[in-house]
Amino acid sequence: METARHSIDPAAPDGAAARARLARAAEVLTSGGLVAFPTETVYGLGANALDEAAVARIFEAKGRPSFDPLIVHVGDAGHLGRIARDVPDAARALAERFWPGPLTLVLPRGGAVPHRVTAGGETVGVRVPAHPVARALLAASGLALAAPSANRFAHTSPTTAQHVLDDLEGRIDMVLDGGPCAVGVESTVLDVTRAVPRVLRPGAVTVAALREVLGEVELRPQAAPESAVAASDEPLRGPGLLERHYAPRSPLRLFRGDDPAAVARALARASAELHAGGRTTVALVAAEDEPYLAPDEARVVLGSLDDLTAVARGLYAALREAEARAPDAILARGFPRTGVGVALDDRLRRAAESIEDVG
Ligand code: TXA
Ligand code: MG
């Protein structure tokens, strides 16, 4: 199949040209096709959430195992009743505070939602995205859209339309190009079916922000890195939360620690050792690390340690750029676990083949 690419200016999604393109995209979705679209977090691969055959195509296009449930995107919280049931007051309060935005709520599944979406489970993840193109598409189609990140399974999530095409060209009907995503890491996934709500995946909506609304919130414990592949502590609650999930094509070594200079030195030392053995590397670093690197060190600079929002925005593009150079190893630094840094740490750990804690 040929994949159509249509640009939509996020600043003018209701212009005449944009409206015609959105109408075409809505037609594709209504007839069971697949349309990738930008959200504020990453690009999603959308299908009509209530059309089981369309949803099956998502799994096929991505090469995604059927045990990994999908997030359903709706235009506003008023549609919650179509997708979920027994919505607790806490969820309503969260929706009020954080939607539209990068928060997915795991709720009891509504009867109309096919089991294909929820991977057989009795809960469903729902969110209202904030990106103007996503919102315009939801409005134009009038549908609820099941949409995972628009990458091949286990690859890095896409934050541009080109990333989507690099993974899925020829496998999906259309991609709407609304420019690069502002947040850059996937939504916070919060299970609100438990007595104490639990963050299953950290994102830009932080645990601290959730606690302001909910009081008690727990963070899903992360399995030790050595127990890597597919070792979820709660297979039924987050089967897609595979420990090794965002794997770039070259092995990634992650250097974490509280002392920025110590981390930079450890990374530079590892790089020098690899080079001495004839290996190639790409360093994925912060601006502050640059003085520690050899002048000819291949690198992608993610930004300052003081601006984790910018680092998150650029993370997946940087991973793709690093792997495109096909080095023998990618050497990445870790980031402070504050704010969106918790999500950065989570994604880098999942992308890592090995983790070195420094100092
Ligand atoms: O920001 C995002 O959430 C993006 C954009 C496109 O909205 N979507 C996204 O979807 O990241 P995906 O499928 O790549 O990741 C969804 C995660 C998976 O790890 C899945 O296991 C979890 O959410 N999830 C979905 N439904 C769930 C459920 N009912 N219970 C537990 N986890 C669920
Ligand atoms: Mg994904």
Side-chain angles (χ1 to χ4, degrees), residues 39 41-44 62 64 68-71 73 104 106 123-125 127 147-149 185-187 189 200-201 236-241:
T39 80
T41 57
V42 301
Y43 275 70
K62 286 193 55 144
R64 180 176 175 120
D68 197 2
L70 305 177
I71 293 172
H73 299 65
T104 295
V106 171
T123 62
V124 61
R127 85 177 186 101
S149 52
V185 292
E186 305 85 344
S187 61
V189 177
L200 300 179
R201 179 176 72 182
L236 295 175
R237 284 279 164 177
L241 303 168

PDB file of all heavy atoms in Angstrom, residues 39 41-44 62 64 68-71 73 104 106 123-125 127 147-149 185-187 189 200-201 236-241, ligand 1:
ATOM      1  N   THR A  39       0.700  13.695  18.349  1.00  0.00           N
ATOM      2  CA  THR A  39       0.147  14.130  19.627  1.00  0.00           C
ATOM      3  C   THR A  39       1.243  14.960  20.290  1.00  0.00           C
ATOM      4  O   THR A  39       2.353  15.039  19.776  1.00  0.00           O
ATOM      5  CB  THR A  39      -0.260  12.961  20.557  1.00  0.00           C
ATOM      6  OG1 THR A  39       0.903  12.454  21.215  1.00  0.00           O
ATOM      7  CG2 THR A  39      -0.984  11.856  19.800  1.00  0.00           C
ATOM      8  N   THR A  41       2.874  14.199  22.788  1.00  0.00           N
ATOM      9  CA  THR A  41       3.936  13.340  23.323  1.00  0.00           C
ATOM     10  C   THR A  41       4.784  12.754  22.197  1.00  0.00           C
ATOM     11  O   THR A  41       5.955  13.109  22.035  1.00  0.00           O
ATOM     12  CB  THR A  41       3.330  12.196  24.156  1.00  0.00           C
ATOM     13  OG1 THR A  41       2.413  11.454  23.336  1.00  0.00           O
ATOM     14  CG2 THR A  41       2.618  12.727  25.388  1.00  0.00           C
ATOM     15  N   VAL A  42       4.176  11.845  21.417  1.00  0.00           N
ATOM     16  CA  VAL A  42       4.829  11.207  20.268  1.00  0.00           C
ATOM     17  C   VAL A  42       3.748  11.013  19.207  1.00  0.00           C
ATOM     18  O   VAL A  42       2.569  11.238  19.477  1.00  0.00           O
ATOM     19  CB  VAL A  42       5.455   9.838  20.660  1.00  0.00           C
ATOM     20  CG1 VAL A  42       6.494  10.007  21.770  1.00  0.00           C
ATOM     21  CG2 VAL A  42       4.391   8.827  21.079  1.00  0.00           C
ATOM     22  N   TYR A  43       4.137  10.589  17.999  1.00  0.00           N
ATOM     23  CA  TYR A  43       3.134  10.280  16.979  1.00  0.00           C
ATOM     24  C   TYR A  43       2.426   8.972  17.325  1.00  0.00           C
ATOM     25  O   TYR A  43       3.061   8.016  17.785  1.00  0.00           O
ATOM     26  CB  TYR A  43       3.772  10.173  15.589  1.00  0.00           C
ATOM     27  CG  TYR A  43       3.911  11.512  14.887  1.00  0.00           C
ATOM     28  CD1 TYR A  43       4.835  12.456  15.343  1.00  0.00           C
ATOM     29  CD2 TYR A  43       3.110  11.844  13.794  1.00  0.00           C
ATOM     30  CE1 TYR A  43       4.953  13.692  14.714  1.00  0.00           C
ATOM     31  CE2 TYR A  43       3.227  13.079  13.153  1.00  0.00           C
ATOM     32  CZ  TYR A  43       4.137  14.001  13.621  1.00  0.00           C
ATOM     33  OH  TYR A  43       4.250  15.221  13.013  1.00  0.00           O
ATOM     34  N   GLY A  44       1.109   8.960  17.118  1.00  0.00           N
ATOM     35  CA  GLY A  44       0.318   7.756  17.358  1.00  0.00           C
ATOM     36  C   GLY A  44      -0.121   7.138  16.043  1.00  0.00           C
ATOM     37  O   GLY A  44      -0.231   7.828  15.028  1.00  0.00           O
ATOM     38  N   LYS A  62       2.488  -2.722  13.041  1.00  0.00           N
ATOM     39  CA  LYS A  62       3.597  -2.478  13.957  1.00  0.00           C
ATOM     40  C   LYS A  62       4.435  -3.717  14.225  1.00  0.00           C
ATOM     41  O   LYS A  62       5.542  -3.621  14.733  1.00  0.00           O
ATOM     42  CB  LYS A  62       3.072  -2.009  15.325  1.00  0.00           C
ATOM     43  CG  LYS A  62       2.573  -0.593  15.359  1.00  0.00           C
ATOM     44  CD  LYS A  62       2.375  -0.134  16.806  1.00  0.00           C
ATOM     45  CE  LYS A  62       3.600  -0.277  17.661  1.00  0.00           C
ATOM     46  NZ  LYS A  62       3.805   0.762  18.659  1.00  0.00           N
ATOM     47  N   ARG A  64       3.295  -5.722  16.445  1.00  0.00           N
ATOM     48  CA  ARG A  64       3.154  -5.669  17.905  1.00  0.00           C
ATOM     49  C   ARG A  64       2.471  -6.930  18.400  1.00  0.00           C
ATOM     50  O   ARG A  64       1.460  -7.351  17.849  1.00  0.00           O
ATOM     51  CB  ARG A  64       2.307  -4.448  18.262  1.00  0.00           C
ATOM     52  CG  ARG A  64       2.042  -4.220  19.751  1.00  0.00           C
ATOM     53  CD  ARG A  64       1.277  -2.909  19.882  1.00  0.00           C
ATOM     54  NE  ARG A  64       0.836  -2.580  21.208  1.00  0.00           N
ATOM     55  CZ  ARG A  64       1.210  -1.461  21.848  1.00  0.00           C
ATOM     56  NH1 ARG A  64       2.060  -0.627  21.291  1.00  0.00           N
ATOM     57  NH2 ARG A  64       0.728  -1.186  23.028  1.00  0.00           N
ATOM     58  N   ASP A  68      -0.178  -6.787  24.160  1.00  0.00           N
ATOM     59  CA  ASP A  68       0.167  -5.421  24.572  1.00  0.00           C
ATOM     60  C   ASP A  68      -1.022  -4.489  24.289  1.00  0.00           C
ATOM     61  O   ASP A  68      -1.309  -4.215  23.133  1.00  0.00           O
ATOM     62  CB  ASP A  68       1.407  -4.998  23.768  1.00  0.00           C
ATOM     63  CG  ASP A  68       2.103  -3.798  24.367  1.00  0.00           C
ATOM     64  OD1 ASP A  68       1.658  -3.308  25.420  1.00  0.00           O
ATOM     65  OD2 ASP A  68       3.091  -3.353  23.770  1.00  0.00           O
ATOM     66  N   PRO A  69      -1.711  -3.994  25.330  1.00  0.00           N
ATOM     67  CA  PRO A  69      -2.943  -3.227  25.102  1.00  0.00           C
ATOM     68  C   PRO A  69      -2.690  -1.825  24.550  1.00  0.00           C
ATOM     69  O   PRO A  69      -1.608  -1.268  24.695  1.00  0.00           O
ATOM     70  CB  PRO A  69      -3.565  -3.140  26.501  1.00  0.00           C
ATOM     71  CG  PRO A  69      -2.408  -3.258  27.435  1.00  0.00           C
ATOM     72  CD  PRO A  69      -1.420  -4.163  26.763  1.00  0.00           C
ATOM     73  N   LEU A  70      -3.718  -1.265  23.904  1.00  0.00           N
ATOM     74  CA  LEU A  70      -3.613   0.044  23.261  1.00  0.00           C
ATOM     75  C   LEU A  70      -4.296   1.124  24.087  1.00  0.00           C
ATOM     76  O   LEU A  70      -5.235   0.847  24.832  1.00  0.00           O
ATOM     77  CB  LEU A  70      -4.294   0.008  21.887  1.00  0.00           C
ATOM     78  CG  LEU A  70      -3.816  -1.076  20.925  1.00  0.00           C
ATOM     79  CD1 LEU A  70      -4.642  -1.022  19.637  1.00  0.00           C
ATOM     80  CD2 LEU A  70      -2.336  -0.904  20.625  1.00  0.00           C
ATOM     81  N   ILE A  71      -3.850   2.363  23.908  1.00  0.00           N
ATOM     82  CA  ILE A  71      -4.487   3.509  24.540  1.00  0.00           C
ATOM     83  C   ILE A  71      -5.573   4.044  23.598  1.00  0.00           C
ATOM     84  O   ILE A  71      -5.347   4.173  22.391  1.00  0.00           O
ATOM     85  CB  ILE A  71      -3.440   4.605  24.835  1.00  0.00           C
ATOM     86  CG1 ILE A  71      -2.469   4.119  25.915  1.00  0.00           C
ATOM     87  CG2 ILE A  71      -4.129   5.909  25.272  1.00  0.00           C
ATOM     88  CD1 ILE A  71      -1.280   5.045  26.136  1.00  0.00           C
ATOM     89  N   HIS A  73      -7.829   7.187  22.440  1.00  0.00           N
ATOM     90  CA  HIS A  73      -7.810   8.648  22.463  1.00  0.00           C
ATOM     91  C   HIS A  73      -9.203   9.184  22.162  1.00  0.00           C
ATOM     92  O   HIS A  73      -9.822   8.754  21.187  1.00  0.00           O
ATOM     93  CB  HIS A  73      -6.822   9.185  21.423  1.00  0.00           C
ATOM     94  CG  HIS A  73      -5.401   8.745  21.671  1.00  0.00           C
ATOM     95  ND1 HIS A  73      -5.010   7.423  21.598  1.00  0.00           N
ATOM     96  CD2 HIS A  73      -4.294   9.448  22.003  1.00  0.00           C
ATOM     97  CE1 HIS A  73      -3.713   7.345  21.881  1.00  0.00           C
ATOM     98  NE2 HIS A  73      -3.249   8.556  22.136  1.00  0.00           N
ATOM     99  N   THR A 104      -2.541   9.240  30.678  1.00  0.00           N
ATOM    100  CA  THR A 104      -3.450   8.141  30.320  1.00  0.00           C
ATOM    101  C   THR A 104      -3.988   7.529  31.593  1.00  0.00           C
ATOM    102  O   THR A 104      -3.216   7.218  32.503  1.00  0.00           O
ATOM    103  CB  THR A 104      -2.694   7.077  29.496  1.00  0.00           C
ATOM    104  OG1 THR A 104      -2.295   7.650  28.255  1.00  0.00           O
ATOM    105  CG2 THR A 104      -3.561   5.849  29.235  1.00  0.00           C
ATOM    106  N   VAL A 106      -5.958   4.404  33.322  1.00  0.00           N
ATOM    107  CA  VAL A 106      -6.405   3.018  33.158  1.00  0.00           C
ATOM    108  C   VAL A 106      -7.664   2.836  34.011  1.00  0.00           C
ATOM    109  O   VAL A 106      -7.643   3.053  35.228  1.00  0.00           O
ATOM    110  CB  VAL A 106      -5.298   2.024  33.553  1.00  0.00           C
ATOM    111  CG1 VAL A 106      -5.831   0.590  33.584  1.00  0.00           C
ATOM    112  CG2 VAL A 106      -4.118   2.145  32.586  1.00  0.00           C
ATOM    113  N   THR A 123      -9.525  -3.818  31.735  1.00  0.00           N
ATOM    114  CA  THR A 123      -9.276  -2.387  31.895  1.00  0.00           C
ATOM    115  C   THR A 123      -8.905  -1.794  30.553  1.00  0.00           C
ATOM    116  O   THR A 123      -8.490  -2.514  29.635  1.00  0.00           O
ATOM    117  CB  THR A 123      -8.127  -2.112  32.888  1.00  0.00           C
ATOM    118  OG1 THR A 123      -6.926  -2.693  32.373  1.00  0.00           O
ATOM    119  CG2 THR A 123      -8.425  -2.670  34.265  1.00  0.00           C
ATOM    120  N   VAL A 124      -9.075  -0.467  30.448  1.00  0.00           N
ATOM    121  CA  VAL A 124      -8.729   0.221  29.200  1.00  0.00           C
ATOM    122  C   VAL A 124      -8.000   1.525  29.536  1.00  0.00           C
ATOM    123  O   VAL A 124      -8.371   2.215  30.492  1.00  0.00           O
ATOM    124  CB  VAL A 124      -9.998   0.476  28.351  1.00  0.00           C
ATOM    125  CG1 VAL A 124     -11.007   1.362  29.070  1.00  0.00           C
ATOM    126  CG2 VAL A 124      -9.638   1.086  26.994  1.00  0.00           C
ATOM    127  N   GLY A 125      -6.975   1.830  28.772  1.00  0.00           N
ATOM    128  CA  GLY A 125      -6.256   3.104  28.924  1.00  0.00           C
ATOM    129  C   GLY A 125      -6.910   4.156  28.031  1.00  0.00           C
ATOM    130  O   GLY A 125      -7.192   3.894  26.865  1.00  0.00           O
ATOM    131  N   ARG A 127      -6.986   8.525  26.978  1.00  0.00           N
ATOM    132  CA  ARG A 127      -6.512   9.883  27.198  1.00  0.00           C
ATOM    133  C   ARG A 127      -7.080  10.850  26.180  1.00  0.00           C
ATOM    134  O   ARG A 127      -7.519  10.456  25.096  1.00  0.00           O
ATOM    135  CB  ARG A 127      -4.981   9.951  27.265  1.00  0.00           C
ATOM    136  CG  ARG A 127      -4.235  10.069  25.956  1.00  0.00           C
ATOM    137  CD  ARG A 127      -2.734  10.191  26.261  1.00  0.00           C
ATOM    138  NE  ARG A 127      -1.944  10.443  25.072  1.00  0.00           N
ATOM    139  CZ  ARG A 127      -1.479  11.660  24.716  1.00  0.00           C
ATOM    140  NH1 ARG A 127      -1.750  12.733  25.442  1.00  0.00           N
ATOM    141  NH2 ARG A 127      -0.752  11.802  23.627  1.00  0.00           N
ATOM    142  N   ALA A 147      -4.626   4.200  19.594  1.00  0.00           N
ATOM    143  CA  ALA A 147      -3.365   4.620  18.970  1.00  0.00           C
ATOM    144  C   ALA A 147      -2.172   4.341  19.864  1.00  0.00           C
ATOM    145  O   ALA A 147      -1.968   5.013  20.877  1.00  0.00           O
ATOM    146  CB  ALA A 147      -3.413   6.111  18.623  1.00  0.00           C
ATOM    147  N   PRO A 148      -1.367   3.360  19.489  1.00  0.00           N
ATOM    148  CA  PRO A 148      -0.069   3.194  20.136  1.00  0.00           C
ATOM    149  C   PRO A 148       0.915   4.142  19.473  1.00  0.00           C
ATOM    150  O   PRO A 148       0.577   4.786  18.471  1.00  0.00           O
ATOM    151  CB  PRO A 148       0.292   1.748  19.814  1.00  0.00           C
ATOM    152  CG  PRO A 148      -0.315   1.515  18.459  1.00  0.00           C
ATOM    153  CD  PRO A 148      -1.571   2.370  18.415  1.00  0.00           C
ATOM    154  N   SER A 149       2.109   4.235  20.006  1.00  0.00           N
ATOM    155  CA  SER A 149       3.143   5.009  19.324  1.00  0.00           C
ATOM    156  C   SER A 149       3.362   4.412  17.932  1.00  0.00           C
ATOM    157  O   SER A 149       3.294   3.194  17.754  1.00  0.00           O
ATOM    158  CB  SER A 149       4.432   4.988  20.141  1.00  0.00           C
ATOM    159  OG  SER A 149       4.803   3.664  20.458  1.00  0.00           O
ATOM    160  N   VAL A 185       8.334  12.410  25.087  1.00  0.00           N
ATOM    161  CA  VAL A 185       8.210  11.072  25.681  1.00  0.00           C
ATOM    162  C   VAL A 185       6.723  10.771  25.887  1.00  0.00           C
ATOM    163  O   VAL A 185       5.912  11.681  26.032  1.00  0.00           O
ATOM    164  CB  VAL A 185       8.978  10.917  27.018  1.00  0.00           C
ATOM    165  CG1 VAL A 185      10.481  10.987  26.780  1.00  0.00           C
ATOM    166  CG2 VAL A 185       8.543  11.958  28.034  1.00  0.00           C
ATOM    167  N   GLU A 186       6.388   9.478  25.885  1.00  0.00           N
ATOM    168  CA  GLU A 186       4.994   9.058  25.936  1.00  0.00           C
ATOM    169  C   GLU A 186       4.318   9.477  27.245  1.00  0.00           C
ATOM    170  O   GLU A 186       4.983   9.715  28.255  1.00  0.00           O
ATOM    171  CB  GLU A 186       4.886   7.532  25.776  1.00  0.00           C
ATOM    172  CG  GLU A 186       5.553   6.971  24.540  1.00  0.00           C
ATOM    173  CD  GLU A 186       7.040   6.708  24.747  1.00  0.00           C
ATOM    174  OE1 GLU A 186       7.632   7.230  25.721  1.00  0.00           O
ATOM    175  OE2 GLU A 186       7.608   5.968  23.926  1.00  0.00           O
ATOM    176  N   SER A 187       2.977   9.460  27.199  1.00  0.00           N
ATOM    177  CA  SER A 187       2.178   9.918  28.336  1.00  0.00           C
ATOM    178  C   SER A 187       2.459   9.120  29.608  1.00  0.00           C
ATOM    179  O   SER A 187       2.847   7.949  29.565  1.00  0.00           O
ATOM    180  CB  SER A 187       0.691   9.793  27.992  1.00  0.00           C
ATOM    181  OG  SER A 187       0.355   8.448  27.737  1.00  0.00           O
ATOM    182  N   VAL A 189       1.203   6.857  32.332  1.00  0.00           N
ATOM    183  CA  VAL A 189       0.082   5.911  32.420  1.00  0.00           C
ATOM    184  C   VAL A 189      -0.208   5.665  33.896  1.00  0.00           C
ATOM    185  O   VAL A 189       0.676   5.228  34.647  1.00  0.00           O
ATOM    186  CB  VAL A 189       0.396   4.573  31.705  1.00  0.00           C
ATOM    187  CG1 VAL A 189      -0.758   3.587  31.879  1.00  0.00           C
ATOM    188  CG2 VAL A 189       0.683   4.800  30.225  1.00  0.00           C
ATOM    189  N   LEU A 200       2.098   3.424  36.057  1.00  0.00           N
ATOM    190  CA  LEU A 200       2.668   2.263  35.368  1.00  0.00           C
ATOM    191  C   LEU A 200       3.796   2.696  34.434  1.00  0.00           C
ATOM    192  O   LEU A 200       4.681   1.917  34.118  1.00  0.00           O
ATOM    193  CB  LEU A 200       1.590   1.551  34.549  1.00  0.00           C
ATOM    194  CG  LEU A 200       0.393   1.018  35.329  1.00  0.00           C
ATOM    195  CD1 LEU A 200      -0.601   0.363  34.376  1.00  0.00           C
ATOM    196  CD2 LEU A 200       0.845   0.025  36.393  1.00  0.00           C
ATOM    197  N   ARG A 201       3.718   3.942  33.971  1.00  0.00           N
ATOM    198  CA  ARG A 201       4.772   4.475  33.094  1.00  0.00           C
ATOM    199  C   ARG A 201       4.907   5.962  33.393  1.00  0.00           C
ATOM    200  O   ARG A 201       3.927   6.702  33.260  1.00  0.00           O
ATOM    201  CB  ARG A 201       4.380   4.270  31.632  1.00  0.00           C
ATOM    202  CG  ARG A 201       5.404   4.821  30.640  1.00  0.00           C
ATOM    203  CD  ARG A 201       5.035   4.528  29.190  1.00  0.00           C
ATOM    204  NE  ARG A 201       3.909   5.337  28.742  1.00  0.00           N
ATOM    205  CZ  ARG A 201       3.364   5.255  27.536  1.00  0.00           C
ATOM    206  NH1 ARG A 201       3.825   4.376  26.666  1.00  0.00           N
ATOM    207  NH2 ARG A 201       2.344   6.020  27.208  1.00  0.00           N
ATOM    208  N   LEU A 236      -0.337  -8.805  33.985  1.00  0.00           N
ATOM    209  CA  LEU A 236      -1.683  -8.476  33.538  1.00  0.00           C
ATOM    210  C   LEU A 236      -1.969  -6.974  33.587  1.00  0.00           C
ATOM    211  O   LEU A 236      -2.846  -6.483  32.911  1.00  0.00           O
ATOM    212  CB  LEU A 236      -2.723  -9.230  34.371  1.00  0.00           C
ATOM    213  CG  LEU A 236      -2.642 -10.754  34.168  1.00  0.00           C
ATOM    214  CD1 LEU A 236      -3.604 -11.467  35.094  1.00  0.00           C
ATOM    215  CD2 LEU A 236      -2.931 -11.115  32.705  1.00  0.00           C
ATOM    216  N   ARG A 237      -1.226  -6.256  34.390  1.00  0.00           N
ATOM    217  CA  ARG A 237      -1.468  -4.829  34.546  1.00  0.00           C
ATOM    218  C   ARG A 237      -0.765  -3.984  33.494  1.00  0.00           C
ATOM    219  O   ARG A 237      -1.215  -2.918  33.144  1.00  0.00           O
ATOM    220  CB  ARG A 237      -1.000  -4.362  35.925  1.00  0.00           C
ATOM    221  CG  ARG A 237      -1.937  -4.749  37.016  1.00  0.00           C
ATOM    222  CD  ARG A 237      -3.094  -3.779  37.081  1.00  0.00           C
ATOM    223  NE  ARG A 237      -4.172  -4.361  37.858  1.00  0.00           N
ATOM    224  CZ  ARG A 237      -5.292  -3.734  38.139  1.00  0.00           C
ATOM    225  NH1 ARG A 237      -5.500  -2.516  37.683  1.00  0.00           N
ATOM    226  NH2 ARG A 237      -6.219  -4.301  38.837  1.00  0.00           N
ATOM    227  N   GLY A 238       0.340  -4.435  33.027  1.00  0.00           N
ATOM    228  CA  GLY A 238       1.056  -3.637  32.030  1.00  0.00           C
ATOM    229  C   GLY A 238       1.890  -4.536  31.149  1.00  0.00           C
ATOM    230  O   GLY A 238       3.106  -4.439  31.119  1.00  0.00           O
ATOM    231  N   PRO A 239       1.208  -5.410  30.415  1.00  0.00           N
ATOM    232  CA  PRO A 239       1.949  -6.394  29.635  1.00  0.00           C
ATOM    233  C   PRO A 239       2.861  -5.739  28.613  1.00  0.00           C
ATOM    234  O   PRO A 239       3.841  -6.325  28.200  1.00  0.00           O
ATOM    235  CB  PRO A 239       0.846  -7.206  28.950  1.00  0.00           C
ATOM    236  CG  PRO A 239      -0.368  -6.343  28.990  1.00  0.00           C
ATOM    237  CD  PRO A 239      -0.238  -5.493  30.202  1.00  0.00           C
ATOM    238  N   GLY A 240       2.532  -4.515  28.229  1.00  0.00           N
ATOM    239  CA  GLY A 240       3.359  -3.855  27.228  1.00  0.00           C
ATOM    240  C   GLY A 240       4.537  -3.134  27.847  1.00  0.00           C
ATOM    241  O   GLY A 240       5.372  -2.581  27.149  1.00  0.00           O
ATOM    242  N   LEU A 241       4.568  -3.134  29.153  1.00  0.00           N
ATOM    243  CA  LEU A 241       5.625  -2.374  29.807  1.00  0.00           C
ATOM    244  C   LEU A 241       6.865  -3.247  29.910  1.00  0.00           C
ATOM    245  O   LEU A 241       7.410  -3.466  30.980  1.00  0.00           O
ATOM    246  CB  LEU A 241       5.133  -1.894  31.175  1.00  0.00           C
ATOM    247  CG  LEU A 241       3.858  -1.043  31.072  1.00  0.00           C
ATOM    248  CD1 LEU A 241       3.229  -0.835  32.437  1.00  0.00           C
ATOM    249  CD2 LEU A 241       4.139   0.301  30.425  1.00  0.00           C
TER     250      LEU A 241
HETATM  251  O1  TXA B   1       1.791   9.322  24.761  1.00  0.00           O
HETATM  252  C1  TXA B   1       1.278   8.220  24.525  1.00  0.00           C
HETATM  253  O2  TXA B   1       0.729   7.537  25.392  1.00  0.00           O
HETATM  254  C2  TXA B   1       1.348   7.711  23.072  1.00  0.00           C
HETATM  255  C3  TXA B   1       0.508   8.646  22.216  1.00  0.00           C
HETATM  256  C4  TXA B   1       0.374   8.172  20.803  1.00  0.00           C
HETATM  257  O3  TXA B   1      -0.739   8.858  22.818  1.00  0.00           O
HETATM  258  N1  TXA B   1       0.900   6.358  23.006  1.00  0.00           N
HETATM  259  C5  TXA B   1       1.635   5.326  23.458  1.00  0.00           C
HETATM  260  O4  TXA B   1       1.053   4.096  23.221  1.00  0.00           O
HETATM  261  O5  TXA B   1       2.711   5.462  23.983  1.00  0.00           O
HETATM  262  P1  TXA B   1       1.845   2.721  23.378  1.00  0.00           P
HETATM  263  O6  TXA B   1       0.887   1.685  22.943  1.00  0.00           O
HETATM  264  O7  TXA B   1       3.125   2.796  22.667  1.00  0.00           O
HETATM  265  O8  TXA B   1       2.062   2.583  24.900  1.00  0.00           O
HETATM  266  C6  TXA B   1       0.936   2.369  25.732  1.00  0.00           C
HETATM  267  C7  TXA B   1       1.348   1.764  27.028  1.00  0.00           C
HETATM  268  C8  TXA B   1       1.770   0.335  26.814  1.00  0.00           C
HETATM  269  O9  TXA B   1       2.957   0.094  27.496  1.00  0.00           O
HETATM  270  C9  TXA B   1       0.613  -0.461  27.404  1.00  0.00           C
HETATM  271  O10 TXA B   1       1.013  -1.661  27.981  1.00  0.00           O
HETATM  272  C10 TXA B   1       0.036   0.504  28.431  1.00  0.00           C
HETATM  273  O11 TXA B   1       0.234   1.777  27.899  1.00  0.00           O
HETATM  274  N2  TXA B   1      -1.389   0.242  28.551  1.00  0.00           N
HETATM  275  C11 TXA B   1      -2.355   0.474  27.654  1.00  0.00           C
HETATM  276  N3  TXA B   1      -3.536   0.041  28.114  1.00  0.00           N
HETATM  277  C12 TXA B   1      -3.309  -0.482  29.335  1.00  0.00           C
HETATM  278  C13 TXA B   1      -4.114  -1.114  30.323  1.00  0.00           C
HETATM  279  N4  TXA B   1      -5.417  -1.313  30.153  1.00  0.00           N
HETATM  280  N5  TXA B   1      -3.512  -1.506  31.449  1.00  0.00           N
HETATM  281  C14 TXA B   1      -2.204  -1.321  31.640  1.00  0.00           C
HETATM  282  N6  TXA B   1      -1.382  -0.756  30.753  1.00  0.00           N
HETATM  283  C15 TXA B   1      -1.915  -0.339  29.615  1.00  0.00           C
END
